[in-house]
Amino acid sequence: MVKPPAAVRMVSAPVRIADAATVRLLRPGDRVDVVAADRAQQPRVVAAGARVTEVPHPDGAVGEGGALVVLSVPRDTARALVGAGATARLAVTLC
């Protein structure tokens, strides 16, 4: 019987942060908390202590606003970030 490969503990999660100016302050290796905020709920922490792995250069063609950052997080946290990003604005605080 062949065992399935071990689950990856950490994954790279591209996350669009609402405030592009805040993202410009980030550098690879920084630790951040990601906070989801929408009008229907109190702000909530979606990812705590996530490590910044990449801060891509802004692409002028992107019309969605905000800026992209790549975080190293557990797989479950990556799923939570995707879900939160679909319904709320995401912000970061430096740890």
Side-chain angles (χ1 to χ4, degrees):
M1 182 173 176
V2 176
K3 284 186 172 183
V8 175
R9 298 186 126 210
M10 302 298 278
V11 298
S12 294
V15 179
R16 184 157 302 277
I17 302 302
D19 183 359
T22 300
V23 172
R24 288 195 299 269
L25 299 173
L26 301 177
R27 301 288 177 259
D30 287 346
R31 294 277 179 176
V32 297
D33 289 347
V34 181
V35 178
D38 61 36
R39 294 174 193 226
Q41 298 178 337
Q42 291 286 352
R44 65 191 187 284
V45 175
V46 182
R51 188 171 56 84
V52 175
T53 58
E54 188 176 347
V55 183
H57 293 311
D59 180 3
V62 176
E64 297 176 35
L68 192 65
V69 62
V70 180
L71 304 175
S72 178
V73 294
R75 187 176 303 274
D76 288 344
T77 302
R79 283 191 289 268
L81 285 166
V82 169
T87 61
R89 293 174 51 94
L90 301 179
V92 293
T93 59
L94 287 160
C95 298

